[in-house]
Amino acid sequence: VGRFKIIESTLREGEQFANAFFDIDTKIKIAKALDNFGVDYIELTSPVASQASYDDCKAICQLGLKAKILTHVRCNMEDAKKAVECGVDGVDLVIGTSSFLREYSHGKSMDMIRSIALEVIDYVKSKGVEVRFSSEDSFRSNLVDILHLYQACDKAGVDRVGVADTVGGATPRMVYDLIRTLRGCVGCDIETHFHDDTGCAVANAHSALEAGATHVDTSVLGIGERNGITPLGALMARMVVTAPDYVKSKYNLKALKSLETLVADAVQVNIPFNNPVTGFCAFTHKAGIHAKAILANPSTYEIIDPHDFGMTRYVSINSRITGWNAVKARIEQLGLGSEFSDDQVKEVYGSPLFSALFHCTGDIDTMRRTAKIKQMADIRPLAIDDTDSIIRSYHLDLQV
Ligand code: HCA
Ligand code: CU
């Protein structure tokens, strides 16, 4: 699980996202940002797709990036030749192997697929270029058929075989079983590609790594065909917990937010509110019980340290479920810590006990100062400015 590699496909799978249109400048910016993040491979749209795809592929190969440049083509000689012509470090070959795709897409038998695959692998290798062979829709293909096919490719010297959950229907257990079996059949590297139609793309990638896969395909924010594939950031969140030393030393995690912002802007979407790590509330703590523990030791309610990604945590006190420890921490942040006793903190926080007491004694002066955080938050949603001004006006009242 520890030492996996990333094949970053924002510039291939990501271009299949509904909103994506990448001109050459945008592609170069994204490629450089991915390289700076430290991904192992950058996969580009097939040069056969269009003239610009061809030109851009060539141009990106010439940038001299650290990441290896791949292009993704159909498994046939003409496509492979175009790919090699562009100067890529590697070619990712793909062909559908499920009965659906064989029947409704290309109409080839498994025997035909096998002989074409071997011929193309041989050609790409003869050019000194890395080569991967992948069966599209692997999970709905006949298991024995694809194992034979992968074995033949392995014998022919392919660098990687690829398993793709093209329709996003696989479960982590299905992935584990298939990759485990495949691991026993081939000696080459194993690349995996998971669509997220059923929300399993990150879990499936993790499962694949547990079973012996070596490479995972990602795209920034998961953009791709339909609702996309394993998101780079979410995979980083998963793997920084599973393999912290490897992930922190290999990837420039602090660059994640700006990379995601770059891609989000390019395809005109927002970073999802609940995105792992970079979603606006990813490190916001709200309930009083959580806030108290977080302030004492962040590991109590955080599996990921936000600072590893250059992010910061936020303890919200703007709600009816806040706790007085959190309010005290905010008062300290406002520089008023030395001027509040704990009882006063509890009072402005609106401790239910205090309120009850004031209601009994009917002390008008005290009642006047009872615009408390909790009571206000029961009436309407509070913004951080609201709670800060409740604290400030309470503080002013203390001085008169
Ligand atoms: C597609 C192709 C692919 C290829 C994956 C791979 C898929 O757009 O259908 O080359 O491993 O999901 O099968 O993206
Ligand atoms: Cu795909």
Side-chain angles (χ1 to χ4, degrees), residues 9 12-13 16 72 136 164-166 193-195 217 224-226 228-229:
S9 192
R12 194 284 292 176
E13 178 77 50
Q16 296 174 228
H72 184 263
E136 197 184 351
D165 182 18
T166 305
H193 179 97
F194 299 105
H195 277 264
D217 290 7
E225 198 77 37
R226 304 185 307 284
I229 62 166

Side-chain angles (χ1 to χ4, degrees), residues 175-186:
V175 170
Y176 189 88
D177 289 346
L178 177 55
I179 301 295
R180 196 82 204 157
T181 306
L182 177 58
R183 188 65 289 170
C185 297
V186 297

Side-chain angles (χ1 to χ4, degrees), residues 1-5 139 161-165 170-183 189-194 200-217 230 235 238-239 242:
V1 188
R3 307 187 57 79
F4 62 98
K5 291 193 167 133
F139 289 87
V161 290
V163 169
D165 182 18
T171 63
R173 181 176 293 214
M174 286 162 70
V175 170
Y176 189 88
D177 289 346
L178 177 55
I179 301 295
R180 196 82 204 157
T181 306
L182 177 58
R183 188 65 289 170
D189 284 344
I190 299 176
E191 173 178 342
T192 55
H193 179 97
F194 299 105
C200 290
V202 176
N204 284 344
H206 182 262
S207 204
L209 293 174
E210 283 183 316
T214 51
H215 292 62
V216 177
D217 290 7
T230 308
L235 184 70
R238 173 61 266 166
M239 297 314 292
T242 301

